[in-house]
Amino acid sequence: QVQLQESGPGLVKPSETLSLTCTVSGGSIKNDYWNWIRQPAGKGLEWVGRIYVNGVTNYNPSLKSRVTLSMDTSKNQFSLKLNSVTAADTAVYHCARGLRGYYALDVWGQGTTVIVSS
Amino acid sequence: QSALTQPASVSGSPGQSITISCTGTSSDVGGYDYVSWYQQYPGKAPKLMIYDVSYRPSGISNRFSGSKSGNTASLTISGLQAEDEADYFCTSYTSISLYVFGTGTKVSVL
């Protein structure tokens, strides 16, 4: 069964770039859409973006100017970069798989906390 | 894109049925049959319970059911059990940002 695990620095300085990686185990990254979702403390979930193996990406318009998603099929990983971060980007970041053929997210990682602070 | 509105908490006794609402607009919930529901225990990964308004993934108990009327979708848990105590959130497709999420509901089993 497919499992997802987020990894990356837990602390990022303001104005710098947040970088996270999601490692996919138990299945191939080549056949589905892979998403990032975040949840600031005490607030609701926010979809960040998704990537497909052919490089096609979709981003939340509210974050589009600062977000880049990429994929490394040799490592079965996909990554998130969010630049020019502020305290408002402090959140739990989840990666998730898109349910094939549907607008739903059928496998999620547990999430990793990223704090933006100097 | 505003979040979908859910009640902050819903509670019920074991064996009872409860319903969680998820209210959006004609640009999301009301415009598409792409509402999904998730269950999340503290510190754990969310779990898909319902997709496309009313379909259950393999392995999900038939005690969980989904429906939609206008701009409001609903998740009903029948035969409430202690293990159902968790957070639940909805999400809908939207042409603006692909996915918009609900504010989340804490279900308590009395």
Side-chain angles (χ1 to χ4, degrees), chain B residues 21-110:
Chain B
S21 61
C22 170
T23 301
T25 69
S26 58
S27 296
D28 37 66
V29 174
Y32 310 93
D33 287 335
Y34 298 143
V35 176
S36 51
W37 289 91
Y38 303 82
Q39 176 191 63
Q40 185 179 25
Y41 296 109
K44 301 296 185 182
K47 180 179 182 180
L48 178 65
M49 306 301 284
I50 296 285
Y51 66 96
D52 279 10
V53 176
S54 61
Y55 292 87
R56 282 186 305 275
S58 174
I60 299 302
S61 169
N62 59 10
R63 297 188 299 105
F64 293 84
S65 61
S67 63
K68 192 186 86 166
S69 178
N71 295 337
T72 298
S74 299
L75 173 71
T76 297
I77 308 174
S78 57
L80 197 63
Q81 299 179 1
E83 68 201 48
D84 300 330
E85 187 161 293
D87 294 324
Y88 293 82
F89 58 91
C90 61
T91 187
S92 172
Y93 170 83
T94 163
S95 59
I96 299 173
S97 61
L98 210 68
Y99 293 100
V100 60
F101 287 89
T103 49
T105 298
K106 182 176 181 59
V107 168
S108 299
V109 181
L110 303 174

Side-chain angles (χ1 to χ4, degrees), chain A residues 46-64:
Chain A
E46 179 181 39
W47 179 75
V48 176
R50 71 174 187 177
I51 185 169
Y52 191 66
V53 65
N54 61 4
V56 170
T57 54
N58 301 101
Y59 297 123
N60 189 321
S62 67
L63 298 169
K64 187 174 182 177

